[in-house]
Amino acid sequence: MKRIVPIAVLAAGIMMLGACKEKKQTEEIIATKYVPKKPGAPIRMQKKETTEQISWGGQTYEISISRTPADSLPMVANEIGQKFVDNRIALTIRRSDGSEFFRQSFSKASFQSYLTPDYRHVGLLSDMRFKEANGAELNFIVSLAEPEATDDEFLPLLLSINRQGGIGIRVEDDLDMLAGDDYSGENEEDI
């Protein structure tokens, strides 16, 4: 028994030395081959509907905004050819008695003259939200974005509706304005 213990210790020591031995380095670099992702079926944003009550000029109004993917609109594609369905946004403003003050449907084409070439080709009409009611206008933020863009990568437009139902649009460069600062109505263009 005394002989077996030293042999076992010797065998364990030899195995430990063998494990610590440096392995031969090769010059080969092993890399996986990049296989580009194939485009799938067209991707749609979720349908979205919001309704809110606002006060404007001493009257109460109900604003309804509905975003719907529209197969009838031209699709946009990203760099690998994945197609995305563009959206149509319907804006309805009702007076407190239920009568309609304003109703219009918007697509990316509604804002064509305000878009950069990139947004004309690969941008989607992604959202519209009510911003504020000032003395003369109701202001809405409209955003156009490239597919799969992050939340802070978009083209902001300010859509204004006056008391006669006329529309004004401008590109909103002042990001403080998006956060809630007052809007002066400068550089507005009627469509």
Side-chain angles (χ1 to χ4, degrees):
M1 181 86 160
K2 289 182 183 179
R3 271 181 129 171
I4 295 176
V5 173
I7 293 173
V9 171
L10 181 62
I14 291 171
M15 287 181 9
M16 288 176 62
L17 285 174
C20 292
K21 185 170 86 171
E22 193 172 313
K23 292 187 178 185
K24 183 178 174 182
Q25 297 267 341
T26 64
E27 300 278 329
E28 291 180 40
I29 298 174
I30 300 173
T32 59
K33 182 179 177 184
Y34 172 73
V35 178
K37 189 176 176 183
K38 292 183 181 179
I43 297 174
R44 290 170 169 67
M45 293 178 81
Q46 291 181 343
K47 187 174 180 175
K48 177 182 173 186
E49 294 185 26
T50 60
T51 301
E52 65 182 291
Q53 302 285 327
I54 59 127
S55 179
W56 184 38
Q59 302 292 320
T60 301
Y61 292 84
E62 179 184 84
I63 296 174
S64 298
I65 301 172
S66 174
R67 177 187 69 201
T68 307
D71 291 322
S72 61
L73 295 173
M75 291 188 193
V76 299
N78 65 10
E79 62 277 354
I80 66 164
Q82 176 63 56
K83 291 187 177 182
F84 295 82
V85 177
D86 207 346
N87 301 300
R88 198 174 293 284
I89 295 180
L91 172 62
T92 305
I93 304 170
R94 289 186 178 84
R95 296 178 186 92
S96 59
D97 65 4
S99 64
E100 282 186 5
F101 165 68
F102 182 88
R103 175 189 287 270
Q104 187 163 335
S105 179
F106 298 92
S107 68
K108 182 172 70 174
S110 305
F111 307 101
Q112 197 71 4
S113 61
Y114 302 92
L115 304 180
T116 64
D118 286 344
Y119 281 105
R120 280 190 193 113
H121 298 303
V122 296
L124 297 171
L125 180 57
S126 61
D127 202 10
M128 178 185 289
R129 64 179 173 82
F130 174 70
K131 183 189 181 310
E132 68 182 352
N134 67 25
E137 303 166 323
L138 296 175
N139 293 316
F140 299 83
I141 299 298
V142 177
S143 59
L144 290 104
E146 293 183 15
E148 304 173 315
T150 62
D151 287 342
D152 61 349
E153 296 176 329
F154 65 97
L155 174 66
L157 301 174
L158 185 76
L159 174 85
S160 299
I161 300 172
N162 66 26
R163 292 203 174 274
Q164 291 75 40
I167 298 173
I169 300 171
R170 73 177 180 145
V171 175
E172 187 50 67
D173 294 327
D174 182 7
L175 295 182
D176 288 337
M177 188 354 226
L178 298 176
D181 290 348
D182 289 334
Y183 167 62
S184 65
E186 298 171 358
N187 301 322
E188 190 172 293
E189 192 174 310
D190 287 333
I191 59 168

